[in-house]
Amino acid sequence: MSTATLSSDALSFVSTLVRARSAIELDADKAYLIESRLAPLAKQQGYASSDEFVLGLKSKREANLERRLVEAMTTNETSFYRDIHPFEALRTHVLPELRQLRSKQRTLNIWSAACSSGQELYSIAMLLREHFPDVAAWNPGLLGTDLSEHILERAQSAIYSQIEVNRGLPAALLIKYFQREGMVWRLRPEVREMARFQKLNLIESWPPMPPLDVVFLRNVLIYFAPETKKQILQKVRRVMAPHAVLFLGAAETTLNLDASFERVQLGNCVFYRLK
């Protein structure tokens, strides 16, 4: 595989395609990132370089390959109990409040948007089983969505490498909720079956959703232009129940994007409620 860098024409084509399909902004300074993510796909398709692959794609415009290119450009960084503070806020404040509020209906709906390989949603499932077994028995609706079909298959399989379970997952939970299978770990069915996953592109139309009690939209908005951020937050607001809580990434905010949210500081965690 050639190590030649992508031409400016190829970079422009990739950036334009990704923006059109996902609204993710790939600036010129991300050329190395684009090249590194394109290279495996180009090699798999039998091209000598990423530049040749893009040239071939421009001439053929194969929908499936374009989809795979866009998926290759998405960031799938995640881990169990990532940035622990949101999960602590869930345990100490949000879920006790929701347990009382939803006790008559015995329903709870939690959405992990841009869920990647599922660790965030499965962390919530384990938290429920560990600290709120009565709520776990409600058969709560835990939904994970992503635009990448490949990464959703990984999430559904709930199989993780040693490196992945070493990142953020307490040893006691690994022993309790995972089965070792050779060099990998598989989440036990009782946790795996609490979650469901489906494809969803945040900038396209969304399927019907029940009123959501908790939304995790963490480390997603940073990839979008301000106008796209506003549109996504507006759509999120429409699917949130009046009492719902929204978690964003540490570097993200609703400030100057959507005045319908109010910021709540709880210890080291910040989350958002509807005004």
Side-chain angles (χ1 to χ4, degrees), residues 15 19 72 79 101 118 122 146 154-155 173 179 183 193 200 205 207 210 217-218 235 238 241 249 255-256 263:
S15 299
R19 186 185 304 111
S79 61
L101 190 65
Y122 289 134
D146 203 282
R154 279 215 59 214
L173 297 185
Q179 298 169 302
M183 300 297 291
E193 291 168 4
L200 187 149
S205 60
L217 184 71
R218 300 198 300 151
K235 292 166 80 172
R238 290 172 183 161
L255 189 65
N256 298 323
R263 183 179 184 273

Side-chain angles (χ1 to χ4, degrees), residues 86-115:
F87 299 95
E88 285 298 306
L90 269 185
R91 181 180 64 83
T92 62
H93 182 79
V94 176
L95 285 174
E97 184 180 278
L98 286 173
R99 175 168 56 184
Q100 185 173 3
L101 190 65
R102 307 299 296 160
S103 60
K104 289 184 179 179
Q105 296 84 0
R106 293 175 62 86
T107 60
L108 184 69
N109 294 299
I110 298 177
W111 177 28
S112 169
C115 66

